[in-house]
Amino acid sequence: YHRGYQTALSNMVEMQSNSFRAEDVVFNFDRPEARQELKVGDRFSVGFISESGSDSRLTSEQPRDPSDSRVNVRAFVVTDSITDATSASLHYKDPNALALGFSESDRTRMDRGLVKSNLQNPYAAFAATDGYASIIETPGFGGTVRVAGFFGHEGGRQKADARNFGSQAELAYKLDSSSKISLAFGALFENGSVLGTVGSGAFKLGNGTMTMYSGIGGSYQLDAKTTLRGAMYAGWTKPSLANDSLITGMSNLITTAFNMGIERRELAQKGDVFSFSVAQPLRVENGSMQFNLPYARDDVSDVVYSTNLTQDMGSKGREIDLEAVYAFPVEDDTSLSFGGVYRHDAGHVAGKEDVLGVLRVTRKF
C-alpha cells in the first residue's frame, strides 16, 4: 500500500543462551564413551569413538535402522610420541583436550559430570566442538609447554555459518607429584559470528571477530583420596561488523567463565566417588551494540527516517551452576550413580532457575 508499518524485531531473534539441554544431561550422565585404541609400534596410537546400529537415546529423535551395520567414527585422537617427553596429537571433535590442565586421566571425571561444557575451555569450544585441534606437548621454561592450533565450528552450526580458528599456548608446573598449576593464553577468530552469536540479512555480522583470552587453573591433592580442581578464564573480544547491516556499532566485550570443584574417593565404601562443583558458564560482563533503525516513512518524498539506538549487551543475570554427583558399585557387575544440578539465573537470565536430578543404574552382562 506504499506506506510505512511497524514490526517487532524480537520476532527475528532466536535465543540460545548456552548448550545446556536436559535430554543430553540425562542421556550422557556417567556414560563413558567407549574409546577404542589401536597401537602402531611403540610410539604411535589411534584412539576413536565409533557408533553403529540404532541410537539408544530415549527421545523423540529418529533412531538409526538396526539393520544399518555401518560404523561411523564420531571422534578420534591420533598421538605420536616423538620422544619420551615430547608428543604430538591430532584431535577431531574433542574440545575437552583444550581444557586448561587437561590430561587423559581427566576423561573419566568429565564423563561423570552433568553439565560437561563447564569443564571445557569456553573459547576454544567455539571451534573445536565440531572441528580439529593439533597439540604439541614438550618440556620447557621449567615446566611443560602445550601449544595448540584449532579450527572448525560450534556443534549444531552449519559449516558455512562459522569458519572459526585459533591457537593457544599453555604452561604447566608441577607443585608436587600430584598437584599442578597451569597458565594459558590464546586467540580465537570467528567469521560471521561474535562469541557464537550469528546474524543474517539486515543483522549480518562481519568476518574476522577476534577474541584474546587467558586462563589460570590447577589441581591440588589434599590427601590420597581428596582432590581440589579449578580454572578461571577471561577474554577480550573486538567484534567485526558488516557494511550493509542495521548493526552500526559494537563495543569491545569482556567475558569471564570459571569452574571449581572437589572430588572425594571412598567416601562411604570402597570404589565410590563423590564430587561437588561450582561453575559459571561464559558470560558477557559488559558491552553495547548500536542499531540504525527506521521508524517512519514519508510517502510524498519517499524518505525513510531512522534513529540510532543503543542496546546493552551485558548479561542481566549471572548463571551459577551447583552440581553434585555420587557413584558407587552395588555388586561386581552393577553400579549406581545419581546426581543433581541447580542452575541459578540459568542462561544468565535474572530470575530463571533450573533444577535437574538424574539416576543411572548400570549392569554388565
Side-chain angles (χ1 to χ4, degrees):
Y1 294 98
H2 227 41
R3 63 191 183 202
Y5 64 93
Q6 292 183 343
T7 185
L9 294 181
S10 58
N11 297 330
M12 302 181 183
V13 177
E14 178 184 355
M15 298 297 293
Q16 186 177 354
S17 57
N18 56 33
S19 58
F20 180 87
R21 293 201 312 167
E23 63 184 65
D24 290 337
V25 174
V26 173
F27 183 70
N28 295 317
F29 171 59
D30 202 13
R31 183 175 180 265
E33 297 178 297
R35 181 179 296 272
Q36 305 175 54
E37 186 171 356
L38 300 176
K39 285 190 172 293
V40 182
D42 295 332
R43 298 186 179 275
F44 192 83
S45 65
V46 179
F48 60 92
I49 299 173
S50 61
E51 55 185 12
S52 61
S54 61
D55 188 350
S56 60
R57 183 185 295 231
L58 300 178
T59 70
S60 59
E61 296 179 4
Q62 183 66 32
R64 291 183 56 182
D65 185 348
S67 63
D68 184 358
S69 60
R70 293 176 300 173
V71 176
N72 298 323
V73 175
R74 190 162 55 82
F76 69 77
V77 54
V78 179
T79 304
D80 183 7
S81 299
I82 301 172
T83 67
D84 292 339
T86 302
S87 65
S89 57
L90 175 65
H91 302 254
Y92 173 60
K93 290 188 177 181
D94 188 13
N96 292 333
L98 292 168
L100 200 59
F102 173 81
S103 64
E104 286 297 322
S105 61
D106 290 324
R107 292 196 185 274
T108 302
R109 178 172 60 94
M110 292 177 171
D111 287 337
R112 192 181 300 114
L114 289 166
V115 188
K116 301 181 188 302
S117 59
N118 283 341
L119 299 178
Q120 298 173 358
N121 180 325
Y123 301 99
F126 284 118
T129 297
D130 201 358
Y132 295 86
S134 58
I135 301 174
I136 296 178
E137 184 172 325
T138 188
F141 300 98
T144 301
V145 178
R146 298 177 79 227
V147 179
F150 49 88
F151 69 93
H153 57 96
E154 261 190 303
R157 300 255 316 268
Q158 296 296 321
K159 292 183 179 180
D161 291 339
R163 300 175 301 278
N164 304 335
F165 63 94
S167 61
Q168 176 177 303
E170 179 183 338
L171 181 59
Y173 291 99
K174 282 191 174 183
L175 302 177
D176 53 42
S177 60
S178 55
S179 304
K180 66 179 180 180
I181 186 171
S182 301
L183 302 172
F185 299 91
L188 168 69
F189 297 89
E190 300 175 81
N191 287 316
S193 63
V194 176
L195 295 174
T197 298
V198 179
S200 62
F203 298 99
K204 181 180 179 181
L205 296 170
N207 295 327
T209 291
M210 178 185 69
T211 298
M212 306 295 292
Y213 65 87
S214 61
I216 181 171
S219 61
Y220 183 74
Q221 198 83 20
L222 292 177
D223 55 43
K225 300 178 181 179
T226 309
T227 305
L228 290 174
R229 295 184 177 91
M232 298 180 64
Y233 300 88
W236 176 86
T237 300
K238 183 177 179 59
S240 175
L241 305 177
N243 294 327
D244 54 350
S245 174
L246 294 179
I247 303 174
T248 58
M250 191 181 301
S251 68
N252 297 330
L253 306 177
I254 303 297
T255 51
T256 62
F258 70 83
N259 67 78
M260 58 186 67
I262 184 171
E263 181 181 87
R264 171 74 178 185
R265 295 186 175 276
E266 298 187 6
L267 178 66
Q269 66 178 68
K270 184 178 181 180
D272 72 355
V273 56
F274 171 79
S275 63
F276 176 80
S277 64
V278 180
Q280 176 206 286
L282 189 66
R283 179 183 188 271
V284 176
E285 298 294 339
N286 56 44
S288 61
M289 179 186 296
Q290 291 77 45
F291 298 89
N292 185 267
L293 302 179
Y295 70 91
R297 177 180 177 273
D298 188 334
D299 62 351
V300 177
S301 60
D302 204 25
V303 173
V304 175
Y305 298 94
S306 60
T307 184
N308 292 318
L309 298 176
T310 298
Q311 172 65 46
D312 182 18
M313 294 182 64
S315 302
K316 297 296 185 287
R318 182 180 298 275
E319 178 177 342
I320 299 295
D321 297 342
L322 304 178
E323 179 179 316
V325 174
Y326 182 58
F328 60 96
V330 179
E331 298 175 352
D332 292 341
D333 55 359
T334 305
S335 60
L336 181 66
S337 307
F338 60 91
V341 58
Y342 166 69
R343 302 171 68 218
H344 171 73
D345 285 354
H348 301 306
V349 178
K352 183 179 179 180
E353 298 181 344
D354 281 344
V355 179
L356 179 66
V358 187
L359 172 67
R360 176 181 289 274
V361 178
T362 304
R363 183 176 178 84
K364 299 179 180 180
F365 58 90

